[in-house]
Amino acid sequence: MDSQIKNTTPTLLSHYDYIIIGAGSAGCVIARRLIDHTDASVLLLEAGGPNAGIETISNPTQWVQNMGTEYDHLYNFEPTPAINNRIIPIPRGKVLGGSGSINGLVWTRGHRADYDGWAAAGNVGWDYKSVLPLFKKIEDWEGGETDFHGAGGPIGIGNAKNLHLSSIALIEAGRTYGMPVFEDANGPEPEGVGPMTLNVKDGVRQSPTEYLKPVIGNQRLTVLTHAKVLKLHLNGTHCTGIELDWQGAIHTVTAEKEVILSAGAIDSPRVLMLSGIGDADELKQLGIDPQISLPGVGKNLQDHILLAGMCYETFEPLGSPNNNLCGSQAYWKSNQQLSVPDLMFLPIHAPFLSAEIVQKYPVPENYFCLVPGLVQPKSRGYVKMKTARYDGPLEIQPNYITDPADLEALVRSVEIGLELADQPVFKSLIKRLAAPLSLKNRNEIVAFVRDAVSSYYHPVGSCAMGSGPEAVVDSKLRVHGVTGLRVADASIMPSITSANTNATSMMIGEFASKEIIENL
C-alpha cells in the first residue's frame, strides 16, 4: 500500500505532445488520464524530488513534520497591520504529489452552492451536478459506490477510525449544541458535525501519485523531478513549449499540442508572469516585456483561515494522537441568515498555536486545541514577483481580515467555540482555557483573533476562471488570449470552496483531462 513513487532516471526529449508543469494534485491526474486515453507523449515536471520512503509523507500522524523541510517551498504570507504585522507560513509541497503529499489528508468537497455559484457566474459545466461524477471518478470509497461516492478510483478514502477522545467530544458537543450529526462530510450540503473523511487507506496516505503508479513505466510518460520551469515559450499568442533548468543545464522543450500549467496558486501565476503574461504595467516595472495583457494574473488570492489558539488544559491525558491529528469537524454558520456554512471547527490533538500565542501562554502538559476557522472569506489578496528572477522573492498577500465581514465572522467563531467547550461532554474533560487565558469580551476576542490568524494552507484563485476583465482562464481552463496553454489547479477557482481544497484540485485535474481528451 505504499503511495509513493521512487526516483527515475529518464531521458529528456526535445519535444512532447503535452507538457504538464507541476506533479501535484491536478498534474498527476492529467498525466494519468492522457496516458490512459490517448496515444500522446507526456512530460510531467516536478520542482521537488521523489516521495518514496519518506515516513512523514506516508504516515498520516506525521504530516505536520513536512513543514519547513526540503519538501516545502518555504513560502510566507506578507505581514499587514490587520494581523499585527505577523509573518505567516504557507506550506506548499515541493515533492512528487505536490501539496497532496504533505497536506492534512482531509477529503472534502465543500457545498453544492460553491460549484453552482461558479456555474452561475458563467462557467458552464462547473455546477455541482456536472462535477459530481468527476469527484466520484477519483475515489475508492471504503463503503463502495453510492450516490455521492465512487469506487475503484485511484484514491482510497474513508472516515477516520478509532476517534481520539477530543474528536468524539466535538461530535457530542455539537449534538447537544443543536447541530445535526452527519456520517459523511461529502454530502451535497454539509452542515453540522461528524467524522472526517480522509484520503487514507490501510493507515497510509493516498497521495496524488496513486494516479501515476499504473503508468509510471509507460514509455510515453516522462517524469522529471528537481525540474524548475523558467518560462513558457510563446510564438505570438501561441504557447509552443517551455524553458527549464534540469540537472544543471537549461533545456528548451516543445509541446506539439499543449502546455498545462498545474503549479498551484503561488507558482502558476509566477510562471505566467515570467513569460510576459499578466498585468502589463507590473511586468514592465520588473523589466519583463509584456506578451499577453492579463491583469488578473496573481490577483483574487483567497485562503481559509484557522485561529491558531484556543488551547484547553484537560484534567487527564486524552491519549496519543491518531488519524491526521484530528478526526472530526463541524461546519456551522456565523449568522443563521447565511445560505452556506462559513465556519469550521476542528479538535486538534497537537499544539496548534501561533508563535505569538505560545510566547504569551505556554502549552500545558495535558491539552487539546478547539480550533475555529473561516471557510468563506471575503478578503482577497494577490501574488506578485519582487524581481524578474525565476527563483526570486515573491510578495504573497492574502489580505487576511481586511474585509470587516471576515473579522466579524471570526469573532463569532470564537464565541461559538466557547459555547461548544461549555457543553457537558467538554466540561467533563476541560480544566481551564490555557491559551489565551481569557476571552470574556469582544476586545479580548478581537485581540486574540489578530494574534491567532493562521493559514489553513488552502491558497486558491490567483488565475481565476471566468469571462470578466480579471479572469485568466475560460470555463475550459484555456488561458485567455493564448492558444496551446491551459491552467489546471487550485488557482483557477473563482471563489474558494467552503471546505478543504485538495479533493477539488484533483477534480479540476479530471475536468481538464476530460476537456482535452474529448476535443482531440
Side-chain angles (χ1 to χ4, degrees):
M1 300 308 302
D2 187 356
S3 66
Q4 303 161 336
I5 300 290
K6 294 181 173 61
N7 205 356
T8 58
T9 53
T11 300
L12 178 61
L13 305 178
S14 61
H15 63 276
Y16 295 83
D17 292 318
Y18 295 94
I19 299 172
I20 304 168
I21 303 171
S25 295
C28 289
V29 173
I30 299 167
R32 166 71 178 277
R33 297 310 185 198
L34 289 177
I35 294 299
D36 278 353
H37 299 291
T38 75
D39 60 1
S41 58
V42 177
L43 174 63
L44 177 63
L45 303 170
E46 170 53 44
N51 66 351
I54 303 169
E55 178 71 9
T56 55
I57 288 177
S58 62
N59 187 332
T61 64
Q62 296 183 20
W63 67 271
V64 294
Q65 296 176 38
N66 295 302
M67 298 178 186
T69 71
E70 63 183 297
Y71 315 122
D72 180 358
H73 277 283
L74 305 177
Y75 294 136
N76 292 304
F77 285 140
E78 295 282 310
T80 65
I83 55 170
N84 294 334
N85 294 310
R86 296 163 46 233
I87 296 173
I88 296 177
I90 174 63
R92 297 285 82 201
K94 188 179 181 182
V95 66
L96 208 59
S99 296
S101 283
I102 71 166
N103 67 7
L105 306 101
V106 181
W107 190 262
T108 50
R109 306 166 183 164
H111 197 282
R112 177 199 302 270
D114 299 334
Y115 305 98
D116 289 346
W118 295 0
N123 297 301
V124 176
W126 288 92
D127 58 283
Y128 178 78
K129 183 178 179 181
S130 295
V131 300
L132 179 59
L134 300 178
F135 279 114
K136 293 177 67 175
K137 191 174 182 180
I138 300 167
E139 298 175 346
D140 187 18
W141 169 242
E142 64 180 358
E145 186 170 7
T146 70
D147 289 344
F148 298 109
H149 280 302
I155 304 297
I157 62 170
N159 281 349
K161 306 293 188 297
N162 304 313
L163 294 185
H164 188 268
L165 193 55
S166 62
S167 295
I168 295 171
L170 177 66
I171 296 174
E172 175 60 15
R175 187 190 67 78
T176 58
Y177 182 75
M179 295 179 178
V181 176
F182 56 74
E183 291 300 320
D184 183 2
N186 288 283
E189 299 177 352
E191 183 170 4
V193 64
M196 275 185 169
T197 302
L198 306 176
N199 48 291
V200 173
K201 188 173 183 179
D202 296 337
V204 175
R205 174 193 294 273
Q206 297 284 281
S207 162
T209 55
E210 289 293 328
Y211 268 81
L212 299 181
K213 285 172 138 184
V215 296
I216 197 67
N218 191 295
Q219 292 185 346
R220 291 185 289 112
L221 175 64
T222 301
V223 179
L224 298 190
T225 54
H226 302 293
K228 182 65 177 178
V229 173
L230 308 184
K231 64 179 180 179
L232 307 170
H233 280 169
L234 299 175
N235 182 4
T237 59
H238 181 69
C239 182
T240 60
I242 63 166
E243 188 175 291
L244 77 152
D245 183 346
W246 184 62
Q247 292 189 339
I250 306 301
H251 305 265
T252 296
V253 187
T254 299
E256 300 292 340
K257 296 184 182 295
E258 256 188 49
V259 173
I260 300 127
L261 184 50
S262 297
I266 308 303
D267 280 298
S268 281
R270 190 216 293 254
V271 171
L272 291 175
M273 290 185 281
L274 286 167
S275 311
I277 302 172
D279 185 298
D281 291 337
E282 292 179 2
L283 293 175
K284 288 176 184 175
Q285 290 172 11
L286 292 169
I288 296 173
D289 185 21
Q291 302 295 313
I292 306 290
S293 179
L294 276 181
V297 171
K299 309 299 194 300
N300 193 50
L301 182 67
Q302 301 155 60
D303 186 28
H304 292 147
I305 293 173
L306 290 183
L307 295 181
M310 289 192 74
C311 180
Y312 287 91
E313 183 176 8
T314 59
F315 291 111
E316 303 288 344
L318 298 187
S320 299
N322 65 359
N323 289 305
N324 63 337
L325 309 179
C326 201
S328 65
Q329 80 269 287
Y331 299 103
W332 205 237
K333 296 171 181 173
S334 61
N335 179 335
Q336 289 305 307
Q337 302 304 311
L338 296 173
S339 58
V340 176
D342 61 334
L343 302 179
M344 180 185 285
F345 298 87
L346 304 173
I348 299 180
H349 28 105
F352 186 73
L353 295 93
S354 70
E356 292 74 15
I357 296 295
V358 170
Q359 286 176 356
K360 296 178 182 178
Y361 313 103
V363 178
E365 182 179 357
N366 301 321
Y367 72 94
F368 76 99
C369 295
L370 181 57
V371 176
L374 178 63
V375 293
Q376 287 278 285
K378 306 297 184 187
S379 302
R380 298 291 185 265
Y382 57 83
V383 179
K384 293 181 180 179
M385 298 195 307
K386 294 183 179 181
T387 77
R389 284 187 54 83
Y390 76 90
D391 57 353
L394 296 173
E395 182 180 346
I396 311 170
Q397 179 54 267
N399 282 323
Y400 281 145
I401 63 173
T402 51
D403 189 307
D406 290 350
L407 179 59
E408 291 306 310
L410 285 167
V411 168
R412 183 62 188 137
S413 79
V414 173
E415 294 171 344
I416 295 171
L418 293 170
E419 291 163 8
L420 287 169
D422 201 42
Q423 297 302 302
V425 65
F426 273 133
K427 290 183 78 170
S428 68
L429 300 177
I430 290 171
K431 184 176 181 180
R432 67 182 179 104
L433 178 63
L437 294 177
S438 177
L439 291 169
K440 292 179 180 177
N441 57 56
R442 178 181 170 82
N443 287 341
E444 289 184 346
I445 294 174
V446 169
F448 165 70
V449 167
R450 295 193 192 282
D451 267 348
V453 162
S454 177
S455 176
Y456 198 10
Y457 320 135
H458 300 150
V460 309
S462 53
C463 298
M465 173 173 59
S467 56
E470 290 216 334
V472 176
V473 300
D474 66 14
S475 62
K476 298 183 184 299
L477 308 185
R478 300 170 299 198
V479 175
H480 289 301
V482 186
T483 56
L485 179 62
R486 234 176 269 255
V487 180
D489 56 32
S491 72
I492 66 92
M493 297 186 197
S495 55
I496 197 166
T497 56
S498 50
N500 305 60
T501 54
N502 186 49
T504 302
S505 297
M506 297 187 78
M507 180 276 286
I508 290 167
E510 290 284 6
F511 188 102
S513 305
K514 184 171 179 284
E515 283 297 325
I516 294 167
I517 292 164
E518 289 183 352
N519 289 283
L520 286 175

